[in-house]
Amino acid sequence: MSHFTDLRDYIDALDALGDIRRVDRPVSADLEAAAITRRSYEIRSPAPLFTRIAEDRIGMRMFGAPAGVSSRPDMRLARLALSVGLPAETGAAQLVDHLVRTRDAPPVPPRTVAREGAPCKENVLLGDDATLDRFAVPRIHEKDGGSYLNTWGVIIARTPDGAWVNWSISRIMMLDGKRMTGLVMPPQHLGLVWQAWAERGEPMPYALVQGGAPAIPFVGGIPLPRGVDEAGYIGALHGEPVDVVRCETVDLEVPAHAEVVIEGHVSTGRDSLEGPFGEYAGYVSTQSSFQPVYTVEAITHRSEPIWPIVPEGRPADEYHTVTGTGRAANVLHALRRAGLPVTTAWMPFPAAMHWTVVTVPDDWRSKLPGVDTGEFTRRIGEVIHNSGGPSAMMPVTYVLDDDIDPSDEADLLWALGTRLHPRDRRYSWDAVVLPFMACYGEDERKAMRGPSVVHDGLLPAWGDGRLRHSSFAQAYPSDIRHQVLKHWDD
């Protein structure tokens, strides 16, 4: 297994697969780059690399859809797999298993390197020179509240006692050259760290990182348990430490191969209006709220830096591919720790993180003697409901046999259409609801409470009315299948 420590090497690897589209004409950071990226998601074209930004003055570039669905139909998850050190042809179940295994592996803490060897220190801007006005900050959607400079960058923050260093993704909007604002909401981890500083009456030191190893925003975008350092998880994922370097003005360390690092402090109060911003459910938001203000006190960057952008919207973009896969890994981890026989868990990209699918092996009855499909489904629902955090934020979960691949959309729809009773075999819990979940009513989203439903779609046991597939693989004997395949190209 190999991995990338640098965004540029990762882009080269995608280019070798034919999954990069270089856009060499001048493109505006004001909506145009985001619009091209959004269309690339929707038609599954290669990831756009913008080499000439119309408003640019320093040679910066932009990179869209860094972890979207690949344009290669034979390796749809190539960008995700390569991001975490797996082969480009890796499938969904193998990807989720890799994330689950890493959860149980000992963390590998980061390694501090000298600033002289850190690419992110090629250009150091302090004082009045440290201004966002030097960059072509992208505007993502027409109805957004402003230009959003952070859609795929990681915010690094440490609790006041130093016990927990959190690397996470949260949207950030530019106010002016020296100020930004963005969502800082408990129970999300960034919100918890900020709250600890605010309760002390002290501004929170932060560093905002664009670029670096592709695993950094990937892991920053998946839900790890509270108190777990993402840097140690990435080290375990890579099998070696992440190289980090000390910041210029705050007591934090950042990935040495980052493209851009912005440093400063976050206010203790909610001082600025933020939003609206188009979110992952795929609808244009009209909501804004008061959020803390980030001050910009230092900026370091590589020469000709590459700025990644993610224009959220209808599936599938990074908040479905990455965050959804991370949540599926959390579900699978919790179910296996509970001793339940499950094959995999998956959040189908088109459902915009509103559906979860759990598949179980054909022999599950031998491992749970005397348990019927309803009781098995109820146990799965109880584990998900009681696992806490993002794993509990599942509006709908389907439990199916593993004769189907939940990442294959045609396979999944066939199973849902033919194995779910129109009314019965479902279980419901009162659960945590995120305000972005479009399937709930306005009152439920405001209260952040609503129903979580688990559907029993399991087939009967063999001999109890279970039907075989009328498919090529099951409706014909092996000698006929072999003969057909042997002469297929004829």
Side-chain angles (χ1 to χ4, degrees):
M1 184 178 71
S2 60
H3 62 272
F4 300 98
T5 60
D6 185 288
L7 178 62
R8 302 178 186 206
D9 291 341
Y10 170 66
I11 291 173
D12 288 344
L14 293 182
D15 198 17
L17 295 177
D19 201 25
I20 290 291
R21 177 190 177 199
R22 292 178 60 94
V23 183
D24 294 326
R25 67 173 178 84
V27 171
S28 176
D30 185 18
L31 296 179
E32 187 180 12
I36 293 171
T37 303
R38 170 100 311 260
R39 187 165 191 270
S40 81
Y41 292 127
E42 296 176 8
I43 66 172
R44 292 190 179 176
S45 72
L49 176 64
F50 305 101
T51 61
R52 296 175 63 192
I53 304 300
E55 299 85 356
D56 167 61
R57 292 177 293 173
I58 63 168
M60 72 175 282
R61 295 164 285 172
M62 285 186 183
F63 177 42
V69 177
S70 174
S71 62
R72 290 278 301 264
D74 57 334
M75 47 183 72
R76 294 176 61 246
L77 306 180
R79 296 181 209 170
L80 282 73
L82 291 176
S83 292
V84 296
L86 294 174
E89 62 273 14
T90 299
Q94 294 80 12
L95 176 61
V96 173
D97 275 342
H98 183 51
L99 298 178
V100 171
R101 284 194 303 272
T102 305
R103 277 280 299 272
D104 293 324
V108 178
R111 173 177 54 210
T112 304
V113 300
R115 56 178 293 140
E116 290 76 15
C120 70
K121 300 291 187 180
E122 288 178 357
N123 300 273
V124 178
L125 307 173
L126 302 171
D128 292 340
D129 291 333
T131 173
L132 300 174
D133 294 330
R134 297 177 65 93
F135 300 91
V137 176
R139 188 157 68 106
I140 304 299
H141 312 101
E142 181 184 11
K143 301 298 184 180
D144 287 349
S147 294
Y148 274 82
L149 76 164
N150 194 55
T151 53
W152 198 237
V154 166
I155 304 157
I156 297 178
R158 179 191 287 119
T159 52
D161 62 5
W164 178 23
V165 180
N166 178 240
W167 292 15
S168 62
I169 297 178
S170 188
R171 72 194 197 200
I172 297 180
M173 183 181 85
M174 179 178 173
L175 295 174
D176 54 43
K178 301 294 274 186
R179 298 181 309 139
M180 310 177 291
T181 186
L183 285 184
V184 180
M185 303 190 322
Q188 293 180 337
H189 291 170
L190 176 65
L192 294 175
V193 176
W194 171 80
Q195 191 172 46
W197 284 95
E199 288 172 355
R200 288 167 58 114
E202 299 178 31
M204 181 185 77
Y206 80 91
L208 172 58
V209 175
Q210 304 292 338
I216 292 170
F218 189 107
V219 173
I222 68 176
L224 295 182
R226 180 176 176 175
V228 171
D229 287 5
E230 283 78 8
Y233 180 93
I234 295 168
L237 202 65
H238 283 173
E240 67 175 16
V242 177
D243 285 343
V244 295
V245 64
R246 292 191 63 79
C247 285
E248 299 294 314
T249 59
V250 294
D251 186 19
L252 294 169
E253 294 180 321
V254 296
H257 290 82
E259 295 288 327
V260 180
V261 178
I262 301 168
E263 307 173 16
H265 290 81
V266 183
S267 66
T268 59
R270 298 185 180 274
D271 306 318
S272 179
L273 198 63
E274 187 272 343
F277 182 76
E279 277 286 354
Y280 68 79
Y283 299 93
V284 176
S285 171
T286 59
Q287 295 183 342
S288 57
S289 61
F290 280 93
Q291 297 294 337
V293 171
Y294 295 74
T295 58
V296 178
E297 296 160 20
I299 300 175
T300 68
H301 67 87
R302 298 183 69 165
S303 296
E304 299 184 344
I306 302 173
W307 199 295
I309 62 170
V310 171
E312 286 183 67
R314 285 181 58 173
D317 57 51
E318 283 70 9
Y319 285 85
H320 314 110
T321 62
V322 171
T323 306
T325 300
R327 287 189 181 178
N330 273 9
V331 169
L332 184 61
H333 186 264
L335 293 173
R336 286 180 175 170
R337 288 194 69 176
L340 295 177
V342 294
T343 306
T344 195
W346 189 248
M347 298 194 80
F349 299 158
M353 295 201 303
H354 286 55
W355 287 2
T356 308
V357 182
V358 175
T359 61
V360 304
D362 189 51
D363 64 351
W364 69 264
R365 290 173 177 84
S366 66
K367 298 175 181 177
L368 297 174
V371 173
D372 63 12
T373 65
E375 174 61 17
F376 188 18
T377 299
R378 189 193 62 77
R379 292 186 187 183
I380 288 171
E382 287 283 358
V383 171
I384 292 174
H385 178 68
N386 294 322
S387 60
S391 294
M393 300 174 186
M394 307 292 182
V396 181
T397 300
Y398 299 102
V399 182
L400 302 170
D401 292 271
D402 69 359
D403 60 331
I404 65 106
D405 175 2
S407 70
D408 182 318
E409 292 152 21
D411 222 17
L412 177 60
L413 283 176
W414 172 67
L416 295 181
T418 59
R419 302 182 188 184
L420 299 183
H421 190 274
R423 181 193 61 215
D424 302 335
R425 301 174 67 194
R426 67 185 68 186
Y427 305 86
S428 180
W429 289 261
D430 180 63
V432 175
V433 168
L434 286 177
F436 314 126
M437 290 179 169
C439 61
Y440 292 105
E442 184 176 357
D443 291 344
E444 291 170 317
R445 294 198 301 270
K446 286 181 179 178
M448 296 184 67
R449 302 298 301 184
S452 176
V453 179
V454 181
H455 291 264
D456 173 6
L458 294 174
L459 294 169
W462 294 110
D464 289 338
R466 183 166 179 171
L467 302 174
R468 290 189 178 275
H469 298 189
S470 57
S471 64
F472 176 76
Q474 290 194 327
Y476 304 93
S478 60
D479 60 330
I480 295 296
R481 296 198 308 270
H482 176 75
Q483 182 77 355
V484 169
L485 294 175
K486 178 181 178 181
H487 295 285
W488 187 256
D489 289 339
D490 297 343

